[in-house]
Amino acid sequence: FISIFTLNKNPYLMNSALQLQKDHFLFTSESVSNGHPDKICDYISDSVLDACLEQDPDSKVACESACKNNMFMIFGEITTNAQVNYEQIVRTSIKNIGYDNIEKGADYKNATTMVIIDTQSPEIAEAVHDNKNKEEIGAGD
C-alpha cells in the first residue's frame, strides 16, 4: 500500500492518509473557464511561442505570463533569430480573447504591459541542446 498524506490544516484530517492498492494512483485535475487568468496567461505565452517558431523553428522559448486586472506581464528566457514585438503580441492576444473595454475587466488598448525577456542561459543551452544530436535533445524550455 502507498500512503498519500493530506496537507490540510484541519486537525482532524492532519494524520489521515488515503490507502491505495499497489499499482493504483490518485488522479486530480483542475479546470477553469474562459476568461480565467490562467487561460489568459496560457494564451499569451502560447502566442509568444507561436510568433517565435513561425519565423525561427529553432527558437528556444521559456516564456511565462502573469496578469491581474488590466496589467499583463511576460517574462522568461527566449533565444531566437525571429524579430518579435512582444508587447504587440500581448496586446493582440488580449484583444483576441475579447478584452476591448475596461468594463469587461481589461482593455488591450490601455493595458499596462511588462516584458522581461532575457536570452537563454548558457548553462541551460549546454544541458538541453548545445552540441547534441537530435535524439539527445531534452526538454528544458
Side-chain angles (χ1 to χ4, degrees), residues 78-95:
I78 299 176
T79 300
T80 184
N81 290 319
Q83 299 298 309
V84 178
N85 182 334
Y86 297 113
E87 180 180 353
Q88 188 59 47
I89 291 170
V90 171
R91 291 188 186 282
T92 300
S93 298
I94 298 165
K95 179 182 178 182

Side-chain angles (χ1 to χ4, degrees), residues 97-111:
I97 293 169
Y99 287 110
D100 56 3
N101 187 313
I102 196 63
E103 292 177 8
K104 294 179 179 179
D107 176 8
Y108 76 94
K109 297 180 293 295
N110 299 306

Side-chain angles (χ1 to χ4, degrees), residues 113-128:
T113 60
M114 294 178 65
V115 176
I116 306 165
I117 301 290
D118 290 324
T119 57
Q120 183 185 57
S121 71
E123 295 82 8
I124 291 176
E126 182 180 351
V128 176

Side-chain angles (χ1 to χ4, degrees), residues 3-141:
S3 294
I4 299 175
F5 294 93
T6 60
L7 298 176
N8 194 317
K9 302 263 186 226
N10 184 329
Y12 298 105
L13 299 176
M14 285 182 71
N15 294 321
S16 67
L18 175 65
Q19 297 291 317
L20 297 176
Q21 294 179 2
K22 187 176 180 173
D23 297 327
H24 285 71
F25 61 93
L26 178 66
F27 177 80
T28 64
S29 65
E30 174 188 40
S31 177
V32 296
S33 61
N34 288 337
H36 188 279
D38 286 352
K39 284 207 185 270
I40 295 168
C41 291
D42 286 346
Y43 185 79
I44 291 169
S45 294
D46 289 348
S47 297
V48 169
L49 174 63
D50 290 346
C52 291
L53 292 176
E54 183 178 299
Q55 294 180 42
D56 178 8
D58 293 324
S59 295
K60 308 299 184 243
V61 179
C63 179
E64 298 290 338
S65 300
C67 67
K68 176 68 177 158
N69 300 331
N70 202 36
M71 181 175 164
F72 301 84
M73 176 173 63
I74 60 169
F75 52 96
E77 296 183 343
I78 299 176
T79 300
T80 184
N81 290 319
Q83 299 298 309
V84 178
N85 182 334
Y86 297 113
E87 180 180 353
Q88 188 59 47
I89 291 170
V90 171
R91 291 188 186 282
T92 300
S93 298
I94 298 165
K95 179 182 178 182
N96 289 346
I97 293 169
Y99 287 110
D100 56 3
N101 187 313
I102 196 63
E103 292 177 8
K104 294 179 179 179
D107 176 8
Y108 76 94
K109 297 180 293 295
N110 299 306
T112 301
T113 60
M114 294 178 65
V115 176
I116 306 165
I117 301 290
D118 290 324
T119 57
Q120 183 185 57
S121 71
E123 295 82 8
I124 291 176
E126 182 180 351
V128 176
H129 61 83
D130 276 356
N131 300 315
K132 296 190 188 272
N133 296 323
K134 285 188 177 186
E135 298 81 29
E136 299 175 311
I137 295 176
D141 53 348

